[in-house]
Amino acid sequence: MKTKIAFYLKNKNTIDCSNIIDGNPGLGGSEYLIILIPTLLSQRYNDINITLYTDYQGVLPHDLHVIKCSSFTEFADKCQKNKEDYCVVNYTAAENDVISDNTNVKFIIWCHNFVSWKNLNFYARQKNVVRIIAVGREQLDLYRDHPAYSKSDYIYNAIPTHSLKEYTKKIVPFSKREQNVVYIGSLIECKGFLYLAKAWKKVLRSIPNAKLYVIGKGNLYDENAKLGPYNLADNEFEEKFIPYLSDKKGILPSVKFLGVLGNNKFEIINQCKVGVPNPGGLTETFGLTAIEMQAMGCVVTTIKCPGYLDTVHNKDFLYKKTSQLADYIIKALKTENAPKLNDLIDFIEENFSYDIVLPQWHRLFIDCIPNDVFLHSDENGSLTNGDYHYKWLKEFLRKNKNRFLVHIIPPIEQLLYKQH
């Protein structure tokens, strides 16, 4: 008998996603993956039945089984009636009261965002939350000393490496590129664009011929979002960043706002030396755009945070404070050490390709959850980036949770750092 898997998509976008396996057509990263993964699973495996439940069908892949539902409550109800074995829901769409009320439904919480301590406590206690899946190792390790860790694992997001390779065939050598910088992301405050705006004039003072290409708008996650007079972001956010990117004549000639682009964004990235994904890192659990920038031969500079520790190959350009951004952009523009494209492609293939990621999702459903085993075991006792956010201390507390009253100590992340 086939294992039945349900995914839930809370979505209002009308973007054509029929060819989503070839790349992101212009969705937010979470929405993109919530369509992509069930599509690929349904194409590759015959021992599972995949259904995507969504409140707005839009234009989805024709071979993906889709059921409409108006809410997370209706999703849970239909999953129970349809006898789905596991129900995968993005953390931000999950509702705790619905999970509590549907104890016969087995939920897998897919964490595209950082999870609050309140919700981690709930997931740890809730028996029908059978797995918490982070999108990166570093995201998972943030709560290594929390009880929820015992039912948690990670699976990296999947990248269409077959499409990226087509673009890399036409790649412009790093030495022949002009002094161009590219930002990709929604123009909303949590995506850090304000830090880049504040840094830009300092970059120009050092490198007067530098240009900044901005891909994205404030309505990336909501097509109906009301934008300000520049048609870039909401009025309040525009008022914050426009002064840093303009003078008495208007927007600086060095700054080009390109709006939301699909795969044609690679034509722009291919002209740039430096990529700056979310320079504040506040919401970055993974960092899809960092991978796309690297695949096109850019030096990526951004803040040292969980997502970029996983997805940036050369960590020499990861800074600790946003005040360092301008200096790091200048350093990256002036570097004579071009990124080694073959190494970057190998890194992406070995960690984020469909052939690596899809088998992990399949094993999660078929082997890991039924047999209470994990994709990533801590048996070898080794820690990557052990000094980051006191990971070594979290590991000590995890291993000694039943000794010396260690179990009464709150998670280190909760004690020392601002809650996500």
Side-chain angles (χ1 to χ4, degrees), residues 96-124:
N96 291 355
D97 57 341
V98 176
I99 294 174
S100 297
D101 291 341
N102 290 270
T103 55
N104 293 327
V105 179
K106 294 179 180 178
F107 291 98
I108 297 170
I109 308 297
W110 194 5
C111 301
H112 289 271
N113 304 79
F114 293 109
V115 184
S116 71
W117 301 112
K118 176 182 176 181
N119 283 301
L120 280 175
N121 293 337
F122 172 78
Y123 298 150

PDB file of all heavy atoms in Angstrom, residues 96-124:
ATOM      1  N   ASN A  96      -1.703  25.984  16.015  1.00  0.00           N
ATOM      2  CA  ASN A  96      -1.572  25.035  17.124  1.00  0.00           C
ATOM      3  C   ASN A  96      -2.896  24.464  17.596  1.00  0.00           C
ATOM      4  O   ASN A  96      -2.981  23.277  17.942  1.00  0.00           O
ATOM      5  CB  ASN A  96      -0.841  25.692  18.292  1.00  0.00           C
ATOM      6  CG  ASN A  96       0.619  25.962  17.991  1.00  0.00           C
ATOM      7  OD1 ASN A  96       1.120  25.570  16.935  1.00  0.00           O
ATOM      8  ND2 ASN A  96       1.303  26.632  18.894  1.00  0.00           N
ATOM      9  N   ASP A  97      -3.937  25.282  17.624  1.00  0.00           N
ATOM     10  CA  ASP A  97      -5.225  24.767  18.094  1.00  0.00           C
ATOM     11  C   ASP A  97      -5.774  23.719  17.141  1.00  0.00           C
ATOM     12  O   ASP A  97      -6.411  22.745  17.567  1.00  0.00           O
ATOM     13  CB  ASP A  97      -6.224  25.910  18.299  1.00  0.00           C
ATOM     14  CG  ASP A  97      -6.441  26.742  17.048  1.00  0.00           C
ATOM     15  OD1 ASP A  97      -5.591  26.701  16.134  1.00  0.00           O
ATOM     16  OD2 ASP A  97      -7.473  27.445  16.967  1.00  0.00           O
ATOM     17  N   VAL A  98      -5.533  23.884  15.848  1.00  0.00           N
ATOM     18  CA  VAL A  98      -5.983  22.892  14.865  1.00  0.00           C
ATOM     19  C   VAL A  98      -5.190  21.601  15.030  1.00  0.00           C
ATOM     20  O   VAL A  98      -5.749  20.495  14.961  1.00  0.00           O
ATOM     21  CB  VAL A  98      -5.837  23.441  13.433  1.00  0.00           C
ATOM     22  CG1 VAL A  98      -6.207  22.374  12.402  1.00  0.00           C
ATOM     23  CG2 VAL A  98      -6.699  24.678  13.249  1.00  0.00           C
ATOM     24  N   ILE A  99      -3.891  21.712  15.255  1.00  0.00           N
ATOM     25  CA  ILE A  99      -3.064  20.525  15.483  1.00  0.00           C
ATOM     26  C   ILE A  99      -3.534  19.781  16.730  1.00  0.00           C
ATOM     27  O   ILE A  99      -3.658  18.551  16.735  1.00  0.00           O
ATOM     28  CB  ILE A  99      -1.574  20.923  15.601  1.00  0.00           C
ATOM     29  CG1 ILE A  99      -1.067  21.460  14.260  1.00  0.00           C
ATOM     30  CG2 ILE A  99      -0.727  19.737  16.054  1.00  0.00           C
ATOM     31  CD1 ILE A  99       0.345  22.011  14.298  1.00  0.00           C
ATOM     32  N   SER A 100      -3.842  20.525  17.786  1.00  0.00           N
ATOM     33  CA  SER A 100      -4.328  19.908  19.036  1.00  0.00           C
ATOM     34  C   SER A 100      -5.660  19.210  18.849  1.00  0.00           C
ATOM     35  O   SER A 100      -5.926  18.175  19.474  1.00  0.00           O
ATOM     36  CB  SER A 100      -4.461  20.980  20.125  1.00  0.00           C
ATOM     37  OG  SER A 100      -3.223  21.547  20.443  1.00  0.00           O
ATOM     38  N   ASP A 101      -6.513  19.781  17.990  1.00  0.00           N
ATOM     39  CA  ASP A 101      -7.860  19.239  17.796  1.00  0.00           C
ATOM     40  C   ASP A 101      -7.892  18.047  16.843  1.00  0.00           C
ATOM     41  O   ASP A 101      -8.927  17.389  16.712  1.00  0.00           O
ATOM     42  CB  ASP A 101      -8.805  20.325  17.252  1.00  0.00           C
ATOM     43  CG  ASP A 101      -9.088  21.407  18.285  1.00  0.00           C
ATOM     44  OD1 ASP A 101      -8.868  21.147  19.482  1.00  0.00           O
ATOM     45  OD2 ASP A 101      -9.512  22.508  17.882  1.00  0.00           O
ATOM     46  N   ASN A 102      -6.787  17.796  16.152  1.00  0.00           N
ATOM     47  CA  ASN A 102      -6.754  16.711  15.169  1.00  0.00           C
ATOM     48  C   ASN A 102      -5.640  15.727  15.527  1.00  0.00           C
ATOM     49  O   ASN A 102      -4.649  15.572  14.797  1.00  0.00           O
ATOM     50  CB  ASN A 102      -6.536  17.277  13.763  1.00  0.00           C
ATOM     51  CG  ASN A 102      -7.726  18.034  13.236  1.00  0.00           C
ATOM     52  OD1 ASN A 102      -8.618  17.467  12.594  1.00  0.00           O
ATOM     53  ND2 ASN A 102      -7.776  19.337  13.513  1.00  0.00           N
ATOM     54  N   THR A 103      -5.823  15.053  16.637  1.00  0.00           N
ATOM     55  CA  THR A 103      -4.774  14.174  17.165  1.00  0.00           C
ATOM     56  C   THR A 103      -4.531  12.936  16.300  1.00  0.00           C
ATOM     57  O   THR A 103      -3.504  12.281  16.444  1.00  0.00           O
ATOM     58  CB  THR A 103      -5.117  13.731  18.595  1.00  0.00           C
ATOM     59  OG1 THR A 103      -6.415  13.118  18.599  1.00  0.00           O
ATOM     60  CG2 THR A 103      -5.117  14.926  19.540  1.00  0.00           C
ATOM     61  N   ASN A 104      -5.473  12.628  15.412  1.00  0.00           N
ATOM     62  CA  ASN A 104      -5.292  11.475  14.522  1.00  0.00           C
ATOM     63  C   ASN A 104      -4.500  11.821  13.262  1.00  0.00           C
ATOM     64  O   ASN A 104      -4.187  10.933  12.471  1.00  0.00           O
ATOM     65  CB  ASN A 104      -6.650  10.895  14.117  1.00  0.00           C
ATOM     66  CG  ASN A 104      -7.373  10.278  15.295  1.00  0.00           C
ATOM     67  OD1 ASN A 104      -6.745   9.730  16.200  1.00  0.00           O
ATOM     68  ND2 ASN A 104      -8.695  10.365  15.305  1.00  0.00           N
ATOM     69  N   VAL A 105      -4.227  13.090  13.074  1.00  0.00           N
ATOM     70  CA  VAL A 105      -3.460  13.530  11.910  1.00  0.00           C
ATOM     71  C   VAL A 105      -1.999  13.710  12.319  1.00  0.00           C
ATOM     72  O   VAL A 105      -1.702  14.374  13.304  1.00  0.00           O
ATOM     73  CB  VAL A 105      -4.017  14.862  11.347  1.00  0.00           C
ATOM     74  CG1 VAL A 105      -3.183  15.322  10.157  1.00  0.00           C
ATOM     75  CG2 VAL A 105      -5.481  14.705  10.948  1.00  0.00           C
ATOM     76  N   LYS A 106      -1.093  13.104  11.575  1.00  0.00           N
ATOM     77  CA  LYS A 106       0.337  13.204  11.876  1.00  0.00           C
ATOM     78  C   LYS A 106       0.943  14.358  11.079  1.00  0.00           C
ATOM     79  O   LYS A 106       0.988  14.320   9.846  1.00  0.00           O
ATOM     80  CB  LYS A 106       1.042  11.891  11.540  1.00  0.00           C
ATOM     81  CG  LYS A 106       0.593  10.721  12.419  1.00  0.00           C
ATOM     82  CD  LYS A 106       1.304   9.430  12.037  1.00  0.00           C
ATOM     83  CE  LYS A 106       0.859   8.277  12.918  1.00  0.00           C
ATOM     84  NZ  LYS A 106       1.521   7.005  12.527  1.00  0.00           N
ATOM     85  N   PHE A 107       1.401  15.367  11.804  1.00  0.00           N
ATOM     86  CA  PHE A 107       1.932  16.573  11.177  1.00  0.00           C
ATOM     87  C   PHE A 107       3.454  16.571  11.138  1.00  0.00           C
ATOM     88  O   PHE A 107       4.118  16.179  12.100  1.00  0.00           O
ATOM     89  CB  PHE A 107       1.455  17.824  11.930  1.00  0.00           C
ATOM     90  CG  PHE A 107      -0.011  18.101  11.793  1.00  0.00           C
ATOM     91  CD1 PHE A 107      -0.909  17.701  12.779  1.00  0.00           C
ATOM     92  CD2 PHE A 107      -0.503  18.761  10.672  1.00  0.00           C
ATOM     93  CE1 PHE A 107      -2.263  17.958  12.656  1.00  0.00           C
ATOM     94  CE2 PHE A 107      -1.849  19.025  10.546  1.00  0.00           C
ATOM     95  CZ  PHE A 107      -2.749  18.628  11.543  1.00  0.00           C
ATOM     96  N   ILE A 108       3.973  17.033  10.023  1.00  0.00           N
ATOM     97  CA  ILE A 108       5.400  17.323   9.871  1.00  0.00           C
ATOM     98  C   ILE A 108       5.506  18.830   9.682  1.00  0.00           C
ATOM     99  O   ILE A 108       4.960  19.380   8.718  1.00  0.00           O
ATOM    100  CB  ILE A 108       6.001  16.586   8.661  1.00  0.00           C
ATOM    101  CG1 ILE A 108       5.904  15.071   8.858  1.00  0.00           C
ATOM    102  CG2 ILE A 108       7.451  17.011   8.438  1.00  0.00           C
ATOM    103  CD1 ILE A 108       6.261  14.266   7.616  1.00  0.00           C
ATOM    104  N   ILE A 109       6.165  19.501  10.612  1.00  0.00           N
ATOM    105  CA  ILE A 109       6.301  20.949  10.546  1.00  0.00           C
ATOM    106  C   ILE A 109       7.564  21.290   9.766  1.00  0.00           C
ATOM    107  O   ILE A 109       8.677  20.948  10.176  1.00  0.00           O
ATOM    108  CB  ILE A 109       6.367  21.580  11.956  1.00  0.00           C
ATOM    109  CG1 ILE A 109       5.190  21.099  12.824  1.00  0.00           C
ATOM    110  CG2 ILE A 109       6.389  23.099  11.859  1.00  0.00           C
ATOM    111  CD1 ILE A 109       3.827  21.500  12.316  1.00  0.00           C
ATOM    112  N   TRP A 110       7.386  21.953   8.639  1.00  0.00           N
ATOM    113  CA  TRP A 110       8.485  22.308   7.744  1.00  0.00           C
ATOM    114  C   TRP A 110       8.862  23.760   8.036  1.00  0.00           C
ATOM    115  O   TRP A 110       8.082  24.683   7.785  1.00  0.00           O
ATOM    116  CB  TRP A 110       8.040  22.127   6.306  1.00  0.00           C
ATOM    117  CG  TRP A 110       9.122  22.135   5.271  1.00  0.00           C
ATOM    118  CD1 TRP A 110      10.459  22.192   5.463  1.00  0.00           C
ATOM    119  CD2 TRP A 110       8.915  22.050   3.853  1.00  0.00           C
ATOM    120  NE1 TRP A 110      11.125  22.160   4.257  1.00  0.00           N
ATOM    121  CE2 TRP A 110      10.200  22.070   3.258  1.00  0.00           C
ATOM    122  CE3 TRP A 110       7.784  21.950   3.041  1.00  0.00           C
ATOM    123  CZ2 TRP A 110      10.367  22.019   1.864  1.00  0.00           C
ATOM    124  CZ3 TRP A 110       7.956  21.898   1.665  1.00  0.00           C
ATOM    125  CH2 TRP A 110       9.237  21.920   1.087  1.00  0.00           C
ATOM    126  N   CYS A 111      10.048  23.972   8.551  1.00  0.00           N
ATOM    127  CA  CYS A 111      10.413  25.282   9.116  1.00  0.00           C
ATOM    128  C   CYS A 111      11.220  26.130   8.142  1.00  0.00           C
ATOM    129  O   CYS A 111      12.456  26.180   8.214  1.00  0.00           O
ATOM    130  CB  CYS A 111      11.179  25.095  10.426  1.00  0.00           C
ATOM    131  SG  CYS A 111      10.243  24.191  11.659  1.00  0.00           S
ATOM    132  N   HIS A 112      10.523  26.805   7.257  1.00  0.00           N
ATOM    133  CA  HIS A 112      11.184  27.759   6.373  1.00  0.00           C
ATOM    134  C   HIS A 112      11.538  29.041   7.117  1.00  0.00           C
ATOM    135  O   HIS A 112      12.272  29.880   6.586  1.00  0.00           O
ATOM    136  CB  HIS A 112      10.273  28.090   5.185  1.00  0.00           C
ATOM    137  CG  HIS A 112      10.121  26.961   4.220  1.00  0.00           C
ATOM    138  ND1 HIS A 112      10.971  26.768   3.161  1.00  0.00           N
ATOM    139  CD2 HIS A 112       9.229  25.949   4.167  1.00  0.00           C
ATOM    140  CE1 HIS A 112      10.607  25.693   2.488  1.00  0.00           C
ATOM    141  NE2 HIS A 112       9.555  25.166   3.084  1.00  0.00           N
ATOM    142  N   ASN A 113      11.000  29.205   8.306  1.00  0.00           N
ATOM    143  CA  ASN A 113      11.274  30.375   9.146  1.00  0.00           C
ATOM    144  C   ASN A 113      11.794  29.906  10.504  1.00  0.00           C
ATOM    145  O   ASN A 113      11.592  28.754  10.890  1.00  0.00           O
ATOM    146  CB  ASN A 113      10.002  31.210   9.350  1.00  0.00           C
ATOM    147  CG  ASN A 113       9.383  31.645   8.045  1.00  0.00           C
ATOM    148  OD1 ASN A 113       8.699  30.873   7.376  1.00  0.00           O
ATOM    149  ND2 ASN A 113       9.615  32.877   7.647  1.00  0.00           N
ATOM    150  N   PHE A 114      12.424  30.821  11.233  1.00  0.00           N
ATOM    151  CA  PHE A 114      12.838  30.491  12.588  1.00  0.00           C
ATOM    152  C   PHE A 114      11.604  30.306  13.467  1.00  0.00           C
ATOM    153  O   PHE A 114      10.611  31.025  13.331  1.00  0.00           O
ATOM    154  CB  PHE A 114      13.715  31.611  13.161  1.00  0.00           C
ATOM    155  CG  PHE A 114      15.036  31.738  12.466  1.00  0.00           C
ATOM    156  CD1 PHE A 114      15.305  32.824  11.646  1.00  0.00           C
ATOM    157  CD2 PHE A 114      16.024  30.776  12.633  1.00  0.00           C
ATOM    158  CE1 PHE A 114      16.526  32.949  10.997  1.00  0.00           C
ATOM    159  CE2 PHE A 114      17.243  30.885  11.990  1.00  0.00           C
ATOM    160  CZ  PHE A 114      17.502  31.974  11.163  1.00  0.00           C
ATOM    161  N   VAL A 115      11.662  29.329  14.361  1.00  0.00           N
ATOM    162  CA  VAL A 115      10.510  28.950  15.175  1.00  0.00           C
ATOM    163  C   VAL A 115      10.621  29.587  16.552  1.00  0.00           C
ATOM    164  O   VAL A 115      11.687  29.565  17.179  1.00  0.00           O
ATOM    165  CB  VAL A 115      10.421  27.415  15.309  1.00  0.00           C
ATOM    166  CG1 VAL A 115       9.164  27.022  16.071  1.00  0.00           C
ATOM    167  CG2 VAL A 115      10.431  26.759  13.929  1.00  0.00           C
ATOM    168  N   SER A 116       9.523  30.144  17.031  1.00  0.00           N
ATOM    169  CA  SER A 116       9.525  30.760  18.362  1.00  0.00           C
ATOM    170  C   SER A 116       9.641  29.682  19.434  1.00  0.00           C
ATOM    171  O   SER A 116       9.307  28.513  19.218  1.00  0.00           O
ATOM    172  CB  SER A 116       8.238  31.556  18.572  1.00  0.00           C
ATOM    173  OG  SER A 116       7.126  30.677  18.712  1.00  0.00           O
ATOM    174  N   TRP A 117      10.110  30.079  20.607  1.00  0.00           N
ATOM    175  CA  TRP A 117      10.249  29.122  21.711  1.00  0.00           C
ATOM    176  C   TRP A 117       8.888  28.586  22.136  1.00  0.00           C
ATOM    177  O   TRP A 117       8.759  27.416  22.488  1.00  0.00           O
ATOM    178  CB  TRP A 117      10.971  29.782  22.882  1.00  0.00           C
ATOM    179  CG  TRP A 117      12.317  30.274  22.484  1.00  0.00           C
ATOM    180  CD1 TRP A 117      12.741  31.567  22.378  1.00  0.00           C
ATOM    181  CD2 TRP A 117      13.427  29.467  22.056  1.00  0.00           C
ATOM    182  NE1 TRP A 117      14.041  31.615  21.927  1.00  0.00           N
ATOM    183  CE2 TRP A 117      14.485  30.350  21.726  1.00  0.00           C
ATOM    184  CE3 TRP A 117      13.634  28.091  21.931  1.00  0.00           C
ATOM    185  CZ2 TRP A 117      15.720  29.895  21.279  1.00  0.00           C
ATOM    186  CZ3 TRP A 117      14.867  27.635  21.491  1.00  0.00           C
ATOM    187  CH2 TRP A 117      15.888  28.528  21.169  1.00  0.00           C
ATOM    188  N   LYS A 118       7.877  29.437  22.102  1.00  0.00           N
ATOM    189  CA  LYS A 118       6.527  29.002  22.446  1.00  0.00           C
ATOM    190  C   LYS A 118       6.093  27.846  21.558  1.00  0.00           C
ATOM    191  O   LYS A 118       5.556  26.835  22.040  1.00  0.00           O
ATOM    192  CB  LYS A 118       5.554  30.166  22.311  1.00  0.00           C
ATOM    193  CG  LYS A 118       4.102  29.797  22.558  1.00  0.00           C
ATOM    194  CD  LYS A 118       3.180  30.999  22.348  1.00  0.00           C
ATOM    195  CE  LYS A 118       1.717  30.602  22.504  1.00  0.00           C
ATOM    196  NZ  LYS A 118       0.803  31.759  22.267  1.00  0.00           N
ATOM    197  N   ASN A 119       6.339  27.961  20.264  1.00  0.00           N
ATOM    198  CA  ASN A 119       5.934  26.903  19.346  1.00  0.00           C
ATOM    199  C   ASN A 119       6.827  25.679  19.454  1.00  0.00           C
ATOM    200  O   ASN A 119       6.349  24.544  19.331  1.00  0.00           O
ATOM    201  CB  ASN A 119       5.911  27.437  17.916  1.00  0.00           C
ATOM    202  CG  ASN A 119       4.691  28.289  17.647  1.00  0.00           C
ATOM    203  OD1 ASN A 119       3.558  27.831  17.774  1.00  0.00           O
ATOM    204  ND2 ASN A 119       4.905  29.543  17.306  1.00  0.00           N
ATOM    205  N   LEU A 120       8.121  25.871  19.691  1.00  0.00           N
ATOM    206  CA  LEU A 120       8.984  24.713  19.911  1.00  0.00           C
ATOM    207  C   LEU A 120       8.530  23.921  21.127  1.00  0.00           C
ATOM    208  O   LEU A 120       8.519  22.677  21.107  1.00  0.00           O
ATOM    209  CB  LEU A 120      10.433  25.168  20.099  1.00  0.00           C
ATOM    210  CG  LEU A 120      11.224  25.499  18.842  1.00  0.00           C
ATOM    211  CD1 LEU A 120      12.595  26.049  19.203  1.00  0.00           C
ATOM    212  CD2 LEU A 120      11.361  24.276  17.935  1.00  0.00           C
ATOM    213  N   ASN A 121       8.137  24.624  22.179  1.00  0.00           N
ATOM    214  CA  ASN A 121       7.621  23.936  23.370  1.00  0.00           C
ATOM    215  C   ASN A 121       6.380  23.128  23.035  1.00  0.00           C
ATOM    216  O   ASN A 121       6.222  21.983  23.479  1.00  0.00           O
ATOM    217  CB  ASN A 121       7.302  24.953  24.470  1.00  0.00           C
ATOM    218  CG  ASN A 121       8.541  25.632  25.013  1.00  0.00           C
ATOM    219  OD1 ASN A 121       9.648  25.110  24.923  1.00  0.00           O
ATOM    220  ND2 ASN A 121       8.364  26.819  25.586  1.00  0.00           N
ATOM    221  N   PHE A 122       5.497  23.733  22.236  1.00  0.00           N
ATOM    222  CA  PHE A 122       4.262  23.045  21.838  1.00  0.00           C
ATOM    223  C   PHE A 122       4.568  21.813  20.997  1.00  0.00           C
ATOM    224  O   PHE A 122       4.033  20.725  21.248  1.00  0.00           O
ATOM    225  CB  PHE A 122       3.362  24.010  21.069  1.00  0.00           C
ATOM    226  CG  PHE A 122       2.150  23.356  20.451  1.00  0.00           C
ATOM    227  CD1 PHE A 122       1.044  23.045  21.228  1.00  0.00           C
ATOM    228  CD2 PHE A 122       2.125  23.055  19.098  1.00  0.00           C
ATOM    229  CE1 PHE A 122      -0.071  22.428  20.659  1.00  0.00           C
ATOM    230  CE2 PHE A 122       1.024  22.446  18.522  1.00  0.00           C
ATOM    231  CZ  PHE A 122      -0.081  22.132  19.312  1.00  0.00           C
ATOM    232  N   TYR A 123       5.444  21.960  19.999  1.00  0.00           N
ATOM    233  CA  TYR A 123       5.766  20.828  19.121  1.00  0.00           C
ATOM    234  C   TYR A 123       6.437  19.697  19.900  1.00  0.00           C
ATOM    235  O   TYR A 123       6.208  18.513  19.615  1.00  0.00           O
ATOM    236  CB  TYR A 123       6.682  21.282  17.982  1.00  0.00           C
ATOM    237  CG  TYR A 123       6.091  22.313  17.063  1.00  0.00           C
ATOM    238  CD1 TYR A 123       6.912  23.247  16.417  1.00  0.00           C
ATOM    239  CD2 TYR A 123       4.717  22.382  16.829  1.00  0.00           C
ATOM    240  CE1 TYR A 123       6.376  24.205  15.561  1.00  0.00           C
ATOM    241  CE2 TYR A 123       4.180  23.338  15.983  1.00  0.00           C
ATOM    242  CZ  TYR A 123       5.017  24.253  15.358  1.00  0.00           C
ATOM    243  OH  TYR A 123       4.484  25.200  14.520  1.00  0.00           O
ATOM    244  N   ALA A 124       7.263  20.053  20.868  1.00  0.00           N
ATOM    245  CA  ALA A 124       7.936  19.025  21.670  1.00  0.00           C
ATOM    246  C   ALA A 124       6.934  18.182  22.444  1.00  0.00           C
ATOM    247  O   ALA A 124       7.105  16.970  22.587  1.00  0.00           O
ATOM    248  CB  ALA A 124       8.928  19.691  22.618  1.00  0.00           C
TER     249      ALA A 124
END
